[in-house]
Amino acid sequence: MSLFDDDFYSTRVSRRARSSSDTEDRRFLTRPRRSSRSWSQVRIAAASSLISAAAVVLLFGLFTGGFDRGSGPLADARPAVATVQTTDPLEKTVEAAGKVRPAVVSIINEQSLAVLQGEAPEEAAGEEELTQAALGSGVIFEKVKGKVHIITNAHVVADAAALKAVLSTGEVREATLIGADTITDLAVLEIDAAGIDTVAEIGDSQELRAGQVVMAIGNPLGLSDSLTMGIVSKTERVIPVSLAQDGVYDWEQEVIQVDASINQGNSGGPLIDLNGRVMGINSMKVSDFGVEGVGFAIPTNEAMPIVQSLLDYGKVKRPYLGVYTMDVEQYLAQQEAANLESGGHEPEDEGTAGEDEGAYEADGSAPEADLQLPQEVDKGVIVLEAVGPAADAGLEFNDVIVKLDKQTIGSTLDLRKYLYESKAIGDSLDVTYYRDGERKTLTLELREKAEGE
């Protein structure tokens, strides 16, 4: 029996072949020729050699994977890669990190020691002693006229009396704030460009795909020049944001969700792809108990128009209505809680949302106990203070806004989104509101926010 149970590969000689051979021998008995036995042995030896060689080649291919099985029954066993890997597959991450790391800086936010100890800013105005209040990260993205510009987060530089940038070499330089935008949590700083040669390349965040490997570079927990790696969990995630950090969600941010570790101090640093391009600015993470690997970065396609506006104007120009508000839903929840409390005292105000600055802090005023709203009206925004265009048009304390133009407004988040995404400076705006239970409408012109408003 041969290796294959098939006559094509068999070394056996069939009965028919032997019979034919005997006939030929009788027909040409008198002709001189070589021995039939000798010729058969040569053929058998040659065939055996060929079969052995074929078997060796076949077995070699089966065991090494270097042989193309085509579409035969063994085709599914073909290895995914038949070529030999000649370089370290992780070298790509090393090269990408090396390309960007010199452009990543640590940001030090210094504030008055007296203010940090609880003194009012005006009382501490004469104090000179500053101390480190916050740490963050940033990335150098352009070099212009002897200066370099750095992108970071607005919350990294908030309330700073002085700012410093620590280069990857360890050198510390004074930094100047060009502008910051709390709505998008972005800021731009400027430092002297002497000796700085590396500028990060800004990529197109729309090219990101779920599952793509990315890296976060920054200054987590004060450990400067630190690198973490993960994948893109979702390319476009919309999350609610509390601008005043008071638990009231009054804005929505479009972000890239990643599972790369982003810790305190990483904020403002770059999220890069394996080509060393900045695809996002690390901004926040979910730090609830039991939550791991949920971090967020602001996409570069969303960030760069804001950055350009900060460079051009020192701020982001947006249409300004001029109202500080509380959501009706929040107010009704507080009233219900007050009714359930024993002792009859009111719960503390859990936070109110202003249109631009966040928490309302003018005089701590809360809405009167009875807004005189129709029973079917359970959503809207209560005006706690009207300034600028709103005051000029006649809006007052305790008015409840329920519509802007034809758009229903149920919360401060709705109000902001409609103003910032659908209107522009100079546009007219119809405001529908309730005052003392009566539905009214007024028209005003949106303008840019003036200094001091």
Side-chain angles (χ1 to χ4, degrees), residues 34-50:
R34 292 184 181 179
S35 167
S36 173
R37 178 181 178 85
S38 175
W39 174 240
S40 296
Q41 289 177 343
V42 171
R43 286 194 302 170
I44 291 171
S48 298
S49 299
L50 288 173

Side-chain angles (χ1 to χ4, degrees), residues 57 66 134 164 176 224 259 264 300 424 436:
V57 171
K164 292 179 180 177
T176 302
S224 60
D259 72 348
Q264 183 179 0
T300 52
D436 299 327

Side-chain angles (χ1 to χ4, degrees), residues 71-290:
S71 57
L74 297 176
D76 291 341
R78 182 184 303 176
V81 178
T83 58
V84 177
Q85 181 72 45
T86 58
T87 59
D88 184 349
L90 296 181
E91 190 65 27
K92 188 80 172 174
T93 64
V94 175
E95 292 174 358
K99 179 180 177 181
V100 182
R101 288 170 80 175
V104 179
V105 299
S106 299
I107 304 298
I108 300 175
N109 178 331
E110 294 185 335
Q111 298 178 23
S112 166
L113 182 60
V115 171
L116 291 174
Q117 290 174 343
E119 291 186 29
E122 55 273 13
E123 295 175 359
E127 297 285 344
E128 296 294 332
E129 186 177 0
L130 300 178
T131 188
Q132 178 179 302
L135 283 172
S137 306
V139 58
I140 298 170
F141 70 98
E142 71 173 7
K143 186 175 181 179
V144 180
K145 297 179 180 178
K147 301 290 184 180
V148 294
H149 294 140
I150 301 168
I151 306 175
T152 187
N153 287 143
H155 75 261
V156 169
V157 301
D159 303 320
L163 292 164
K164 292 179 180 177
V166 184
L167 305 182
S168 60
T169 60
E171 182 184 352
V172 180
R173 296 191 183 182
E174 299 291 331
T176 302
L177 178 63
I178 300 296
D181 181 56
T182 57
I183 300 293
T184 56
D185 195 25
L186 290 167
V188 177
L189 306 180
E190 182 179 84
I191 63 173
D192 186 77
I196 297 176
D197 299 317
T198 303
V199 174
E201 177 186 355
I202 303 298
D204 181 357
S205 56
Q206 287 188 337
E207 294 180 1
L208 285 175
R209 296 170 297 167
Q212 183 173 337
V213 175
V214 289
M215 293 179 285
I217 309 178
N219 180 29
L221 308 177
L223 304 172
S224 60
D225 193 25
S226 183
L227 176 70
T228 59
M229 184 170 70
I231 63 167
V232 174
S233 304
K234 190 171 179 62
T235 56
E236 295 179 6
R237 173 79 70 192
V238 177
I239 60 171
V241 177
S242 176
L243 297 177
Q245 301 285 305
D246 58 4
V248 178
Y249 295 121
D250 46 9
W251 185 242
E252 287 182 337
Q253 183 89 323
E254 181 180 314
V255 293
I256 304 163
Q257 181 185 331
V258 298
D259 72 348
S261 297
I262 297 177
N263 295 296
Q264 183 179 0
N266 266 123
S267 294
L271 183 76
I272 68 171
D273 66 7
L274 292 188
N275 292 313
R277 299 175 301 176
V278 178
M279 308 302 276
I281 303 300
N282 302 321
S283 181
M284 64 192 92
K285 66 174 290 187
V286 176
S287 56
D288 289 345
F289 177 78

